[in-house]
């Protein structure tokens, strides 16, 4: 590596960055100036000297990725996006944290150009960065597996800036253990160890030996201590050397522990919790400006020479991009099929042949929807190379293994059950549900492949913060949640979801999909893969349930509708006997069969019951008002919902006259048939509720 | 320490335990035999040789605590509870995992005598064990602070058996870092390192150096490898020596890494993922019995000499208890006031003077409910010594510091902001929300003190698995969740709760309490502390809101009702002008003020609007049908709910004719007044919705 080129203008630019951060917080009156001030040199080094990026093209697939895990220090990123010419201007910095600005409190993916991922909830950025590194290796395997290390246009680095909070959160422990296990040599995290969090000195709660912990995870760990001499010296050469060493370490992720003083050089507030989360105040800010040789009377001061200097990032970026383009063109010429595959994957389109590959399950058999899902994944895996995934140590239970595929781990970690390959497509997360979700988010944000990750539905609770972030980012991560009700049986209430379906549906932008039989599973997967507007969770039974014998179209007479209707979210599975429903029975998943059985019973009593299978209310809500009215006509107010969980979701669907067959309490340990009987999830209960609803007018 | 007394009858008892576990799983046809078989010696050692327990008195406060973090291996515990005479008999083991049995799939607190805590969701047991150790030190400080180490009747050990899953989950990383920081010398965890989880060899996902990681957390780490000689030898002396060494290490928690072979001595299935989670099968089970010298034709075979031998635990327990009783009596005689305090705390009663201590906030002022809560905690802290708590690095934001109290940390970890004391009462969890919740659970289960832990409401998502377990166990942990809506403002959508109120209310048995002004905060805290039937979360504003000027009783005319009504969960805060409401406006928290303002506007238009403040729907549901009807009469179907989050909770309260003022999408970064205006959380919107509802008949 060449020696670091660092001139006095760079120092001035760094000080400008510091003061822009302080000014921006001062203007809006709130925010986090301290870290942005003291991290300005490190961020500047990355953006101006280290990373291969082109400010004019934030979609360049060859770019180094940057993840600000300390999302509250968003100015660390915004100021560099301004200086480097990524699209932000001074007015954007002046509009920090105000309605409609490009500079919200935390960096938001899809909102501000150059932001790779939404961060803020601590730990998520670093955990998802591990997913970025997974994705880069997987994509390398798809598109350019033969190239020597570092010689492919698909090689690049993933840089993270993390803080004390990130290092304390459990999600990063999970993800960091996986990163070491996976030997992710292109992942480089700078840990801003400033020893200050909101409760001031972190010694109050955080005295572990972080370096030793990360070594235990198989990371390459270096410490750069800017306080080491007793005088605070922002030694950029030392940091740059550490980054070079980290880049040179290709078999381990790297942690660079950077010891900084938060808020430096604020004379009164540096090294305090105060400067972490509030404005400096006019007097203190003026003092900082004087110390740095800036005019205390000015705000948002950027010397022409500074911005001219930093905007050269555009030229350097263009040159790097152009050099890369040449290598990429060589690759494309040599690999026309892979180039076509890359183009398709980046476009988000599915390949030909997905529908033809979908398994068709024979009516009249009994199949758990998790088993059906496993068959679908193996079938689709054969035609969709960008589909990959696994589970949090529940492969056989979740049926998340694409048949015949190798495992995405270094070969040396192969076991007698699993064959590892650095470019494999079966993921093994260990018992780390939260990191799994964050890693999936990182993977989808990195390069448009379609990863999935499985666990029991109950453990979606462990994943929630990352699932919510996926929804907020509209990132199409796919979660496979099996064992979806008390019908998981003997493991008992700690493992039985009760409120999870309702509470997952409550997350704005998350598609919750609970297919009612094996053929609905096929169509559910197809629909999930066709959509890219946000995350989806597919919710599957442990127990066998009937595969319905269906017709090819809509429900007519006693002929059931085709499972193809799943994409509409809810559909008439069975029409009322005389075509005009007296009552509508709405079911999902394993409870759809109860609705069908109740329909038959009600028919014998002259009551016409329509059965609506409702695998995804989110998809249903997207349908036209006409379609929705055709499925759930306003005039039919006698309604029953059937779902083996709390009724909360269904209150608005069944209305004042409706009834819900549900479970409003925790489960118990017993076989599932006993539990369904004891908890009233039965055909009899549905019939009684239907009559009750009819009588309620 | 005396040498381990171990005879051939102990070996036979251990083998009996192994086979009882295998037989029990074989009989029901499902479960987890492997770990129960290979952990039988360690569990037997703890229950029969190491722990100070009295099987006849599971409430004995001097007992060593036992936490089975590997909850799926519940037989590890059940078999010892049977052998030791804790109340389980052979028939209970035969009823494993069946409806109504005392031996559910995972150990359940409150269900099976001798079970200290419900475990199963991985990581929770070990994390809560840290809370047990916190509690033992805190209680020691309350009741017997002067006694020398080890010399107090309040001294005892906390033993945990944990597994690979526990060690991988992030929650244990958080809790273990805290345990080392806190120097919890009485916490001893045996980590069953059998290298097998559901996906078989853990090398597939877990190759970190656990010993080095725990040393980095400041734990005392030992390894006992029963495979070290190449032949598997269950060296109980080595394990016992390690436990002795762990007990001798009083300034660090101890981790004993016990290398075992899962399912040993099963000839074909030991050391495989198969034996982890399924029955052995008749042939393999018979083979194990032959290897161990048991009759393969018999099941649940317990020789008389074995049960006679193991039930001597009752005599030993009685003797230990009696010896302790003498020491306890000496303590009680010497400390009559502390004895009275102990009796009161154990009884669950609050002291005199709580109501008198409650702050009264002046009507017409503006106070955030978080600030009010901080004042209440300081006021109540002065009269309730068992009240303690803190936050996950948000002390000043959550207002969770009891004024004047010292911090619960070793003195050497004092910082310039906080003074540490090993018996302090201010808790500092660092940025570890999930461990915080699990630790709170451990504390309340240990000894009836009342701990609370705070963070932002959005981060309740990080805590959910532990919050749910508190509800399942009916453990009265208290969660303080501030910054309770988009009104937290500029931090933006990553920090703004939208669905959290609804999804927390969805957890069966969790009380969610969102006071509508400062005086409701006072009464909410009083009610939460009076209740001990389960966990509660108090949900508080960041922003200032009006303190209502109220009367002393019910709402009459324009006089608002007393805040004392909070204990009823929902109450008429302001009656309709003419006493007969045309429409009911139901609000919580910061939105109650909008309901009141809308009532005034509607009055000018001749519309009578009743305002119902509904701080806790769970408490409201407990009221008599009469009371509920008096607040929300069925005849008044024009209704509006007002809450700055999703409307989901309110669907069933407002009904078909009702309307909800809500936010159904993620938030944004701006000041809160702008957000409320842009998102339609306004008086105008309430007025319009009321008219809309009235018009909807």
């Amino acid at each position: 590596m060449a020696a670091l080129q660092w001139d006095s203008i760079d120092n001035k630019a760094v000080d400008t960055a510091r003061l822009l951060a302080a000014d921006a917080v001062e203007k809006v009156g709130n925010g986090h100036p301290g870290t942005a001030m003291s991290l300005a040199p490190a961020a500047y080094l990355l953006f101006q000297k280290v990373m291969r990026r082109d400010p004019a093209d934030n979609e360049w697939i060859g770019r180094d990725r940057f993840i600000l895990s300390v999302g509250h220090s968003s100015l660390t990123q915004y100021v560099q996006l301004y200086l480097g010419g990524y699209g932000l201007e001074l007015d954007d910095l002046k509009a920090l944290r105000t309605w409609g600005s490009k500079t919200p409190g935390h960096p938001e993916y899809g909102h501000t150009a150059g932001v790779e991922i939404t961060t803020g909830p601590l730990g998520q950025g670093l955990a998802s960065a591990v997913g970025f590194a997974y994705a880069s290796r997987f994509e390398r395997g798809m598109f350019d597996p033969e190239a020597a290390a570092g010689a492919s246009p698909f090689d690049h680095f993933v840089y993270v800036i993390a803080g004390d909070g990130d290092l304390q959160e459990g999600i990063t422990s999970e993800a960091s253990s996986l990163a070491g296990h996976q030997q992710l040599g292109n992942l480089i995290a700078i840990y801003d160890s400033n020893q200050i969090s909101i409760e001031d000195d972190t010694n109050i709660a955080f005295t572990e030996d972080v370096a030793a912990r990360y070594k235990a995870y198989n990371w390459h760990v270096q410490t750069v201590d800017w306080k080491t001499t007793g005088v605070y010296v922002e030694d950029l050469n030392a940091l740059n050397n550490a980054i070079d060493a980290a880049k040179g370490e290709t078999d381990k992720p790297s942690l660079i522990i950077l010891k900084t003083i938060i808020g430096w050089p604020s004379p009164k507030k540096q090294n305090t919790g105060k400067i972490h989360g509030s404005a400096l105040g006019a007097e203190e800010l003026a003092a900082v400006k004087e110390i740095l040789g800036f005019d205390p009377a000015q705000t948002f001061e950027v010397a022409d020479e500074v911005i001219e200097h930093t905007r050269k990032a555009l030229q350097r970026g263009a040159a790097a991009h152009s050099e890369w383009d040449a290598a990429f063109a060589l690759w494309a010429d040599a690999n026309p099929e892979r180039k076509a595959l890359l183009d398709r994957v980046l476009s988000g389109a599915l390949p030909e042949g997905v529908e033809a590959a979908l398994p068709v399950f024979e009516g009249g058999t009994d199949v758990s929807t998790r088993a059906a899902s496993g068959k679908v994944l193996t079938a689709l895996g054969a035609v969709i190379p960008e589909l990959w995934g696994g589970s949090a140590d529940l492969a056989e239970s979740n049926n998340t293994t694409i048949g015949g595929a190798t495992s995405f781990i270094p070969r040396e970690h192969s076991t007698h059950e699993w064959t590892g390959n650095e470019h494999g497509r079966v993921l093994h997360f260990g018992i780390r549900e939260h990191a799994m979700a964050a890693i999936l988010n990182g993977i989808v944000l990195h390069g448009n492949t379609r990863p999935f990750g499985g666990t029991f539905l109950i453990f979606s609770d462990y994943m929630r913060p990352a699932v919510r972030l996926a929804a907020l980012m509209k990132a199409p991560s796919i979660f496979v949640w099996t064992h979806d009700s008390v019908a998981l049986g003997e493991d008992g209430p700690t493992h039985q979801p009760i409120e999870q379906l309702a509470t997952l549906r409550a997350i704005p932008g998350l598609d919750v999909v609970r297919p009612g039989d094996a053929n609905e599973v096929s169509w559910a997967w197809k629909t999930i893969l066709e959509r890219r507007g946000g995350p989806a969770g597919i919710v599957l039974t442990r127990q066998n349930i009937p595969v319905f014998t269906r017709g090819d179209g809509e429900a007519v007479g006693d002929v059931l509708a085709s499972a193809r209707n799943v994409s509409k979210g809810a559909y008439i599975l069975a029409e009322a006997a005389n075509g005009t429903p007296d009552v509508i029975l709405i079911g999902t998943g394993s409870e759809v069969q109860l609705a069908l059985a109740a329909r038959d019973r009600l028919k014998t009593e002259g009551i016409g019951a329509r059965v609506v299978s409702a695998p995804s209310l989110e998809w249903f809500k997207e349908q036209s008002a006409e379609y929705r009215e055709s499925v759930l006509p306003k005039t039919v107010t006698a309604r029953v919902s059937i779902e083996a969980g709390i009724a909360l979701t269904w209150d608005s669907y069944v209305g004042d006259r409706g009834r819900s067959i549900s479970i409003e309490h925790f489960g118990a340990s017993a076989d599932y048939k006993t539990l369904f009987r004891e908890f009233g999830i039965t055909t009899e209960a549905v019939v009684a509720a239907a009559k009750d609803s009819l009588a309620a007018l």
Side-chain angles (χ1 to χ4, degrees), chain A residues 39-86:
Chain A
L39 271 183
Y44 183 88
L45 180 72
L46 286 177
F47 275 84
Q48 291 281 333
K49 309 288 182 182
V50 170
M51 290 197 291
R52 181 174 72 178
R53 290 191 70 116
D54 177 1
D57 181 5
N58 287 309
E59 305 299 313
W60 175 21
I61 60 173
R63 73 192 182 280
D64 288 336
R65 306 305 202 270
F66 175 76
I67 294 172
L68 185 76
S69 197
V70 286
H72 58 275
S73 188
S74 55
L75 280 163
T76 294
Q77 187 162 10
Y78 296 150
V79 169
Q80 296 305 325
L81 295 180
Y82 157 65
L83 290 176
Y86 287 74

Side-chain angles (χ1 to χ4, degrees), chain A residues 222-282:
Chain A
Q222 303 171 84
T223 299
V224 176
D225 187 351
W226 285 349
K227 300 186 273 191
T228 194
T229 61
V231 181
Y232 191 61
V233 179
E234 292 173 331
D235 184 344
L236 274 306
N237 271 305
L239 179 58
N240 190 59
N241 289 341
I243 292 171
D244 272 352
K247 289 166 79 168
E249 179 70 54
T250 57
D251 290 338
K252 290 182 178 180
S254 281
L255 184 73
I256 299 170
I257 302 175
L258 178 64
K259 303 220 174 210
T260 63
I261 294 176
I262 191 170
W264 187 85
S266 164
K268 291 187 185 156
K269 293 193 173 172
Q270 63 174 274
N271 202 27
T272 68
K274 300 291 175 204
I275 206 162
H276 171 96
S278 39
L280 275 72

Side-chain angles (χ1 to χ4, degrees), chain A residues 176-184 217-219 253 409-410 413 428:
Chain A
S176 298
S177 178
L178 281 168
H181 175 71
Q182 291 281 8
Q183 305 173 356
L184 302 174
Y217 293 140
N218 190 42
W219 284 53
I409 44 165
H413 294 325
H428 303 275

Side-chain angles (χ1 to χ4, degrees), chain A residues 511-515 520 524 528 536-540 566 615-616 618-619:
Chain A
D511 292 348
V512 177
V513 189
R514 188 173 187 236
E520 283 198 10
I528 287 170
I538 186 165
V539 178
L540 303 165
V566 162
S616 172
E618 296 77 22
W619 297 350

Side-chain angles (χ1 to χ4, degrees), chain A residues 403-453:
Chain A
T406 55
S407 292
F408 181 83
I409 44 165
R411 285 159 211 244
E412 68 192 83
H413 294 325
S414 295
T415 67
H416 59 276
E417 294 277 326
W418 305 97
T419 302
N421 181 306
E422 60 176 348
H423 299 140
R425 63 197 289 207
V426 179
L427 286 163
H428 303 275
F429 294 100
I431 301 152
R432 305 183 184 95
E433 299 82 5
H434 199 180
M436 172 170 74
I439 288 171
L440 293 178
N441 293 348
I443 291 171
V444 299
L445 292 172
H446 182 276
N448 260 16
T449 62
R450 298 308 303 268
F452 55 88

Side-chain angles (χ1 to χ4, degrees), chain A residues 575 579-584 608 610 625-626 628-639 653-658 693-694 697:
Chain A
E575 189 46 287
T580 321
D582 303 308
V583 59
I584 300 176
R610 168 184 290 183
E626 248 177 327
R628 284 182 280 124
E629 171 67 15
S630 76
V631 176
L632 299 175
K634 286 192 186 63
T635 50
V636 186
T637 54
R639 298 179 179 190
Y653 287 87
V654 301
D656 289 353
R657 193 188 175 195
S693 182
L694 280 163
L697 235 198

